[in-house]
């Protein structure tokens, strides 16, 4: 049930992501979701192309995820994590330690992706304090995205996240050009030159390098060459710097490997995961690090890591994450993601020849159509809903990252809707 009065209240009182309160973009009321479909209040069913921003990898209303949640609820929904532990947190952290590279042994449970990034940066700062040095600068990539809190924002692309707005308040870090060499391109060694120069120049002040491995998500949906990531790892080793990999978007199979770092066969010193961690059921994220980093932090003057949110290790979120990771461990995702990748390569790549299109790229269960002109978001969104699909474009990007359980027919429907959308110039800014 969603009344016109509810819609009016929403427009007048509720902020949605990145919208004006005076002139908000339209919102579509969703009252139920199951499998790969979202149900609108008027009964229409939309094929979901977004997995609710990378999260709902197993689809909506999954019976096993639902059961995990209700079973945990019957025991205890929440309890503080200070001085208390519980079976769901232990089970989850054991799974995370097992499924990530062997060196990553110590887990901090955070309540959202941005917080996991804050925690990772704070870990790097405290690591250097533990070594008796004050190092407060980070090196990262242009076109990156790491979240909306202040430390996270300080390492997001300076233009996209409007650093000029926060000048004087936001710490200023170092930005290398975004990698130009694509995932499928032949490696061009000069792609790494700017990064190599910056890391050499600032090695004495840098606490860490932070980046999204292989896929730069919200900052441009770009897929870069694994050699670039290998060279970052080598440079961090050469100068004794920590490498933070933000796998909040890429983790848990989305790029065709369980973690995107595997494409380059590297291990970060600090790893952030979130989004799909709970299969999109609850907000939860985690920051993992090595024993050496954890021990060094514990030797700092503070004697401990200075972070401890109220809902840390929330049992409901942990229990549902345990079930989501158990589903992943059963391995079906590999076949599903590979099938989505094959189909996207066959059906989405041909859109390259459309006049509105600048580039089309596919990696794992991610398909991206980059257009020459920015999309007219409201018009295009309405068109997609009329076509029976949920695709949320932004800027010059129309992209798909469907739940892994999507059927070939439903995936074709998403691709066809994009193809049809490209035929109307009213869907694009002048
Ligand atoms: N890092 C990356 C790579 C992300 O894609 C996001 C979310 N889009 C975040 C961090 C922030 O996560 P959250 O929105 O859960 O705070």
């Amino acid at each position: 049930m969603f009344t016109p009065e509810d819609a009016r209240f929403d427009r007048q009182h509720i902020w949605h992501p990145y919208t004006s309160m005076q002139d908000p973009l339209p919102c579509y009321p969703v009252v139920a979701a199951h499998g790969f479909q979202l149900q609108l209040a008027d009964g229409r069913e939309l094929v979901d192309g977004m997995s609710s921003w990378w999260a709902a990898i197993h689809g909506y209303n999954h019976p096993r995820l639902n059961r995990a949640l209700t079973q945990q609820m019957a025991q205890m929904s929440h309890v503080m994590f200070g001085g208390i532990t519980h079976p769901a947190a232990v089970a989850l952290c054991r799974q995370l330690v097992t499924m990530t590279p062997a060196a990553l042994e110590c887990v901090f449970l955070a309540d959202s992706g941005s917080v996991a990034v804050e925690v990772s940066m704070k870990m790097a700062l405290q690591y250097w304090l533990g070594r008796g040095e004050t190092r407060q600068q980070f090196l990262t990539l242009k076109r990156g995205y790491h979240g909306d809190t202040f430390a996270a924002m300080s390492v997001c692309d300076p233009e996209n996240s409007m650093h000029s707005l926060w000048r004087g308040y936001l710490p200023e870090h170092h930005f290398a050009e975004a990698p130009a060499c694509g995932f499928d391109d032949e490696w061009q060694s000069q792609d790494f030159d700017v990064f190599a120069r910056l890391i050499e120049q600032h090695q004495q002040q840098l606490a860490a390098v932070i980046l999204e491995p292989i896929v730069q998500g919200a900052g441009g949906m770009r897929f870069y060459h694994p050699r670039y990531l290998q060279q970052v790892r080598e440079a961090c080793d050469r100068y004794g710097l920590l490498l933070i990999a933000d796998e909040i978007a890429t983790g848990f199979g989305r790029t065709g490997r369980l973690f995107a770092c595997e494409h380059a066969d590297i291990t970060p010193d600090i790893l952030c995961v979130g989004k799909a961690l709970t299969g999109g059921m609850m907000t939860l994220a985690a920051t993992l690090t090595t024993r050496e980093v954890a021990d060094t932090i514990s030797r700092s003057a503070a004697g401990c890591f200075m972070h401890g949110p109220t809902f840390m290790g929330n049992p409901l979120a942990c229990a549902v994450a345990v079930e989501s990771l158990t589903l992943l461990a059963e391995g079906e995702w590999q076949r599903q993601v590979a099938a989505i990748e094959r189909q996207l390569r066959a059906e989405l790549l041909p859109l390259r020849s459309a006049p509105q299109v600048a580039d089309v790229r596919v990696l794992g269960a991610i398909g991206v159509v980059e257009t020459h002109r920015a999309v007219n978001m409201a018009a295009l969104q309405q068109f997609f809903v009329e076509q029976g699909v949920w695709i949320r474009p932004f800027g010059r990007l129309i992209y798909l990252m469907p739940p892994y359980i999507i059927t070939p027919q439903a995936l074709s429907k998403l691709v066809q809707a994009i193809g049809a959308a490209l035929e109307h110039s009213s869907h694009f800014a002048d």
Side-chain angles (χ1 to χ4, degrees):
M1 180 68 171
F2 194 87
T3 65
E5 180 44 35
D6 290 337
R8 223 177 353 262
F9 185 89
D10 188 295
R11 267 185 90 73
Q12 280 172 6
H13 297 279
I14 308 182
W15 252 298
H16 287 266
Y18 296 101
T19 52
S20 156
M21 207 65 192
Q22 280 180 331
D23 183 22
L25 286 167
C27 272
Y28 295 84
V30 169
V31 293
H34 49 91
F36 53 80
Q37 289 190 301
L38 307 181
Q39 189 192 327
L40 293 179
D42 63 12
R44 279 182 292 172
E45 298 273 358
L46 307 181
V47 173
D48 175 37
M50 306 305 295
S51 300
S52 286
W53 279 335
W54 316 83
I57 55 175
H58 307 297
Y60 300 90
N61 234 322
H62 195 291
R64 280 176 56 183
L65 298 183
N66 286 358
R67 198 175 325 119
L69 209 47
T70 48
Q71 279 175 355
Q72 178 60 48
M73 195 158 59
Q75 297 295 317
M76 139 183 99
S77 292
H78 185 62
V79 64
M80 65 188 280
F81 212 48
I84 288 175
T85 191
H86 55 81
V90 174
L92 173 60
C93 294
R94 189 176 273 135
Q95 279 171 314
L96 284 171
V97 166
T98 305
M99 75 197 299
T100 55
L104 300 172
E105 290 185 28
C106 303
V107 189
F108 189 98
L109 295 170
D111 29 16
S112 73
S114 300
V115 172
V117 169
E118 298 284 320
V119 162
S120 74
M121 294 175 73
K122 201 188 263 188
M123 280 180 178
L125 299 181
Q126 272 199 256
Y127 167 82
W128 285 102
L129 290 176
R131 294 185 48 158
E133 278 188 58
T134 300
R135 290 192 177 209
Q136 299 184 328
Q137 295 190 348
F138 290 84
L139 172 59
T140 185
L141 304 177
K142 288 187 185 168
R143 312 295 290 267
Y145 179 78
H146 297 284
D148 289 346
T149 50
F150 274 95
M153 220 172 22
S154 73
V155 287
C156 290
D157 182 86
E159 276 177 41
N160 283 344
S161 57
M162 307 192 84
H163 283 200
S164 55
L165 255 186
W166 320 109
R167 187 151 299 131
Y169 191 73
L170 211 56
E172 291 185 12
H173 300 303
H174 302 283
F175 290 85
E177 291 307 314
C181 202
F183 186 87
D184 294 320
D185 295 344
E186 197 168 320
W187 171 241
Q188 308 285 331
S189 61
Q190 68 272 22
D191 205 21
F192 192 66
D193 288 354
V194 177
F195 192 100
R197 187 167 42 74
L198 285 173
I199 197 168
E200 211 243 309
Q201 204 176 334
H202 300 291
Q203 48 168 300
Q204 302 290 346
Q205 292 82 43
L206 289 175
V209 169
I210 178 167
L211 47 68
E212 296 155 279
I214 305 297
V215 175
Q216 292 190 287
M221 299 299 290
R222 307 169 88 246
F223 311 149
Y224 63 88
H225 202 285
R227 279 295 293 152
Y228 192 102
L229 187 54
Q230 283 165 352
Q231 301 222 349
V232 171
R233 178 68 273 183
E234 283 163 25
C236 288
D237 289 343
R238 189 170 323 125
Y239 301 118
L241 299 175
L242 299 176
L243 174 58
I244 303 173
D246 176 351
E247 293 241 19
I248 288 163
T250 50
F252 307 115
R254 179 57 68 179
T255 69
R257 307 295 287 265
L258 195 53
F259 295 99
C261 284
E262 292 173 21
H263 290 286
D265 204 15
I266 61 124
T267 298
D269 302 288
I270 302 179
L271 171 71
C272 303
V273 295
K275 288 186 182 283
L277 176 58
T278 62
M281 296 283 282
M282 304 275 297
T283 176
L284 183 71
T287 307
L288 287 89
T289 193
T290 61
R291 179 70 58 194
E292 196 229 327
V293 170
D295 284 349
T296 310
I297 288 170
S298 307
R299 277 200 301 274
S300 66
C304 63
F305 182 56
M306 296 299 285
H307 213 98
T310 307
F311 283 95
M312 184 169 180
N314 172 255
L316 288 175
C318 289
V320 76
V322 167
E323 192 61 20
S324 179
L325 297 189
T326 303
L327 273 168
L328 275 178
E330 290 167 13
E332 187 65 1
W333 69 270
Q334 282 172 297
R335 197 194 54 73
Q336 293 166 331
V337 171
I340 293 171
E341 174 162 1
R342 267 195 308 280
Q343 192 178 346
L344 286 175
R345 286 189 189 276
E347 297 179 14
L348 198 69
L349 289 184
L351 296 181
R352 272 185 184 147
S353 58
Q356 302 281 3
V357 172
D359 188 31
V360 182
R361 40 192 186 263
V362 172
L363 181 66
I366 314 170
V368 183
V369 174
E370 187 170 332
T371 54
H372 290 295
R373 288 187 287 151
V375 301
N376 176 338
M377 190 120 140
L380 194 49
Q381 188 82 84
Q382 185 183 343
F383 176 81
F384 281 138
V385 169
E386 284 161 5
Q387 301 292 307
V389 298
W390 182 249
I391 301 171
R392 178 88 175 154
F394 73 89
R396 298 190 296 111
L397 298 168
I398 307 172
Y399 59 98
L400 300 174
M401 44 215 194
Y404 301 166
I405 48 95
I406 196 164
T407 60
Q409 296 78 359
L411 186 55
S412 289
K413 187 168 175 170
L414 290 169
V415 175
Q416 281 159 14
I418 295 178
L422 294 170
E423 287 170 16
H424 301 268
S425 71
S426 60
H427 293 153
F428 300 91
D430 297 325

